[in-house]
Short mmCIF file of all heavy atoms in Angstrom, two decimals:
data_model
loop_
_atom_site.label_atom_id
_atom_site.label_comp_id
_atom_site.label_asym_id
_atom_site.label_seq_id
_atom_site.Cartn_x
_atom_site.Cartn_y
_atom_site.Cartn_z
N SER A 1 0.82 -1.21 0.00
CA SER A 1 0.00 0.00 0.00
C SER A 1 0.86 1.26 0.00
O SER A 1 0.41 2.32 -0.44
CB SER A 1 -0.93 0.00 1.21
OG SER A 1 -0.18 -0.08 2.42
N SER A 2 2.11 1.15 0.47
CA SER A 2 3.00 2.31 0.49
C SER A 2 3.82 2.43 -0.79
O SER A 2 4.62 3.37 -0.93
CB SER A 2 3.94 2.23 1.70
OG SER A 2 4.74 1.05 1.63
N GLY A 3 3.65 1.49 -1.72
CA GLY A 3 4.33 1.57 -3.00
C GLY A 3 5.61 0.78 -3.11
O GLY A 3 6.27 0.78 -4.17
N ASP A 4 6.00 0.04 -2.06
CA ASP A 4 7.17 -0.81 -2.15
C ASP A 4 6.87 -1.98 -3.08
O ASP A 4 5.76 -2.53 -3.08
CB ASP A 4 7.57 -1.33 -0.77
CG ASP A 4 8.10 -0.23 0.13
OD1 ASP A 4 8.72 0.72 -0.41
OD2 ASP A 4 7.90 -0.30 1.36
N ARG A 5 7.88 -2.40 -3.83
CA ARG A 5 7.67 -3.38 -4.89
C ARG A 5 8.43 -4.67 -4.61
O ARG A 5 9.55 -4.65 -4.11
CB ARG A 5 8.14 -2.80 -6.23
CG ARG A 5 8.12 -3.78 -7.40
CD ARG A 5 8.60 -3.13 -8.68
NE ARG A 5 10.00 -2.73 -8.61
CZ ARG A 5 10.68 -2.20 -9.63
NH1 ARG A 5 10.05 -1.97 -10.78
NH2 ARG A 5 11.94 -1.86 -9.50
N HIS A 6 7.79 -5.79 -4.95
CA HIS A 6 8.50 -7.07 -5.02
C HIS A 6 8.25 -7.67 -6.40
O HIS A 6 7.10 -7.79 -6.83
CB HIS A 6 8.03 -8.05 -3.95
CG HIS A 6 8.67 -9.40 -4.09
ND1 HIS A 6 10.02 -9.61 -3.90
CD2 HIS A 6 8.16 -10.60 -4.44
CE1 HIS A 6 10.32 -10.87 -4.10
NE2 HIS A 6 9.20 -11.50 -4.44
N ILE A 7 9.33 -8.02 -7.09
CA ILE A 7 9.23 -8.65 -8.41
C ILE A 7 9.24 -10.15 -8.21
O ILE A 7 10.18 -10.71 -7.65
CB ILE A 7 10.39 -8.20 -9.32
CG1 ILE A 7 10.29 -6.70 -9.59
CG2 ILE A 7 10.38 -8.99 -10.63
CD1 ILE A 7 11.48 -6.12 -10.33
N SER A 8 8.18 -10.82 -8.68
CA SER A 8 8.03 -12.25 -8.46
C SER A 8 8.32 -13.10 -9.69
O SER A 8 8.29 -14.33 -9.60
CB SER A 8 6.62 -12.56 -7.95
OG SER A 8 5.65 -12.13 -8.89
N ALA A 9 8.61 -12.46 -10.83
CA ALA A 9 8.98 -13.22 -12.03
C ALA A 9 9.61 -12.28 -13.05
O ALA A 9 9.21 -11.11 -13.16
CB ALA A 9 7.77 -13.92 -12.65
N VAL A 10 10.58 -12.81 -13.77
CA VAL A 10 11.14 -12.13 -14.94
C VAL A 10 10.82 -13.03 -16.13
O VAL A 10 11.34 -14.14 -16.24
CB VAL A 10 12.66 -11.91 -14.82
CG1 VAL A 10 13.20 -11.27 -16.10
CG2 VAL A 10 12.99 -11.04 -13.61
N ASN A 11 9.93 -12.57 -16.99
CA ASN A 11 9.49 -13.37 -18.13
C ASN A 11 10.32 -13.07 -19.36
O ASN A 11 10.76 -11.94 -19.58
CB ASN A 11 8.02 -13.12 -18.43
CG ASN A 11 7.12 -13.60 -17.31
OD1 ASN A 11 6.48 -12.82 -16.64
ND2 ASN A 11 7.07 -14.92 -17.10
N ILE A 12 10.52 -14.11 -20.18
CA ILE A 12 11.33 -14.00 -21.39
C ILE A 12 10.49 -14.42 -22.59
O ILE A 12 9.34 -14.86 -22.45
CB ILE A 12 12.60 -14.86 -21.29
CG1 ILE A 12 12.26 -16.36 -21.17
CG2 ILE A 12 13.44 -14.43 -20.09
CD1 ILE A 12 13.48 -17.27 -21.15
N ALA A 13 11.05 -14.26 -23.79
CA ALA A 13 10.32 -14.52 -25.02
C ALA A 13 9.71 -15.93 -25.03
O ALA A 13 10.39 -16.92 -24.76
CB ALA A 13 11.25 -14.34 -26.22
N GLY A 14 8.42 -15.99 -25.33
CA GLY A 14 7.69 -17.25 -25.36
C GLY A 14 6.79 -17.43 -24.17
O GLY A 14 5.86 -18.26 -24.21
N ASP A 15 7.01 -16.67 -23.10
CA ASP A 15 6.20 -16.81 -21.89
C ASP A 15 4.84 -16.16 -22.03
O ASP A 15 4.71 -15.05 -22.56
CB ASP A 15 6.90 -16.18 -20.68
CG ASP A 15 8.02 -17.02 -20.13
OD1 ASP A 15 8.11 -18.22 -20.48
OD2 ASP A 15 8.81 -16.49 -19.32
N ALA A 16 3.82 -16.84 -21.51
CA ALA A 16 2.52 -16.20 -21.29
C ALA A 16 2.62 -15.41 -20.00
O ALA A 16 3.24 -15.86 -19.03
CB ALA A 16 1.42 -17.25 -21.21
N LEU A 17 2.03 -14.22 -19.97
CA LEU A 17 2.24 -13.31 -18.85
C LEU A 17 1.12 -13.30 -17.84
O LEU A 17 1.33 -12.85 -16.70
CB LEU A 17 2.46 -11.88 -19.40
CG LEU A 17 3.59 -11.72 -20.41
CD1 LEU A 17 3.69 -10.27 -20.85
CD2 LEU A 17 4.91 -12.21 -19.84
N ASN A 18 -0.06 -13.75 -18.21
CA ASN A 18 -1.20 -13.67 -17.28
C ASN A 18 -2.16 -14.84 -17.47
O ASN A 18 -3.39 -14.66 -17.48
CB ASN A 18 -1.94 -12.34 -17.46
CG ASN A 18 -2.51 -12.16 -18.86
OD1 ASN A 18 -2.14 -12.88 -19.79
ND2 ASN A 18 -3.41 -11.21 -19.02
N THR A 19 -1.61 -16.04 -17.59
CA THR A 19 -2.44 -17.23 -17.85
C THR A 19 -3.51 -17.43 -16.80
O THR A 19 -4.65 -17.81 -17.11
CB THR A 19 -1.55 -18.48 -17.92
OG1 THR A 19 -0.46 -18.25 -18.82
CG2 THR A 19 -2.34 -19.67 -18.41
N SER A 20 -3.18 -17.19 -15.53
CA SER A 20 -4.15 -17.44 -14.46
C SER A 20 -5.43 -16.63 -14.65
O SER A 20 -6.52 -17.08 -14.26
CB SER A 20 -3.52 -17.11 -13.10
OG SER A 20 -3.14 -15.75 -13.03
N ALA A 21 -5.32 -15.46 -15.25
CA ALA A 21 -6.50 -14.61 -15.44
C ALA A 21 -7.48 -15.23 -16.42
O ALA A 21 -8.68 -14.90 -16.41
CB ALA A 21 -6.09 -13.23 -15.93
N MET A 22 -7.02 -16.13 -17.30
CA MET A 22 -7.91 -16.78 -18.24
C MET A 22 -8.83 -17.78 -17.53
O MET A 22 -9.89 -18.15 -18.05
CB MET A 22 -7.11 -17.48 -19.33
CG MET A 22 -6.20 -16.57 -20.15
SD MET A 22 -7.06 -15.22 -21.01
CE MET A 22 -6.68 -13.82 -19.94
N PHE A 23 -8.43 -18.21 -16.34
CA PHE A 23 -9.22 -19.19 -15.59
C PHE A 23 -9.90 -18.58 -14.37
O PHE A 23 -10.96 -19.05 -13.96
CB PHE A 23 -8.31 -20.35 -15.14
CG PHE A 23 -7.65 -21.07 -16.28
CD1 PHE A 23 -6.35 -20.76 -16.65
CD2 PHE A 23 -8.33 -22.04 -17.00
CE1 PHE A 23 -5.74 -21.41 -17.72
CE2 PHE A 23 -7.72 -22.70 -18.07
CZ PHE A 23 -6.42 -22.38 -18.43
N LEU A 24 -9.30 -17.54 -13.80
CA LEU A 24 -9.83 -16.94 -12.58
C LEU A 24 -10.56 -15.62 -12.82
O LEU A 24 -11.13 -15.06 -11.90
CB LEU A 24 -8.69 -16.71 -11.58
CG LEU A 24 -7.94 -17.96 -11.13
CD1 LEU A 24 -6.79 -17.56 -10.20
CD2 LEU A 24 -8.87 -18.94 -10.42
N ASN A 25 -10.47 -15.12 -14.03
CA ASN A 25 -11.14 -13.87 -14.43
C ASN A 25 -10.53 -12.62 -13.80
O ASN A 25 -11.06 -11.52 -13.98
CB ASN A 25 -12.64 -13.92 -14.11
CG ASN A 25 -13.35 -15.04 -14.83
OD1 ASN A 25 -13.09 -15.28 -16.01
ND2 ASN A 25 -14.22 -15.74 -14.14
N GLU A 26 -9.48 -12.77 -13.03
CA GLU A 26 -8.82 -11.62 -12.44
C GLU A 26 -7.39 -12.01 -12.07
O GLU A 26 -7.05 -13.20 -12.05
CB GLU A 26 -9.55 -11.13 -11.21
CG GLU A 26 -9.65 -12.16 -10.10
CD GLU A 26 -10.45 -11.65 -8.91
OE1 GLU A 26 -11.46 -10.95 -9.13
OE2 GLU A 26 -10.05 -11.97 -7.77
N ILE A 27 -6.57 -11.03 -11.78
CA ILE A 27 -5.21 -11.29 -11.33
C ILE A 27 -4.92 -10.48 -10.08
O ILE A 27 -5.61 -9.49 -9.80
CB ILE A 27 -4.16 -10.97 -12.43
CG1 ILE A 27 -4.23 -9.48 -12.82
CG2 ILE A 27 -4.32 -11.86 -13.63
CD1 ILE A 27 -3.12 -9.07 -13.78
#
């Protein structure tokens, strides 16, 4: 909430970026 960031993945060419949203309707 204060704007601090954690990066949980670095995606590379060929990766799908938001697959879970296709099944859960949100991310």
Side-chain angles (χ1 to χ4, degrees):
S1 58
S2 60
D4 291 328
R5 173 180 65 176
H6 175 66
I7 295 173
S8 59
V10 177
N11 294 113
I12 63 177
D15 283 346
L17 304 180
N18 61 345
T19 309
S20 61
M22 301 301 102
F23 301 97
L24 299 177
N25 300 318
E26 60 183 38
I27 60 174

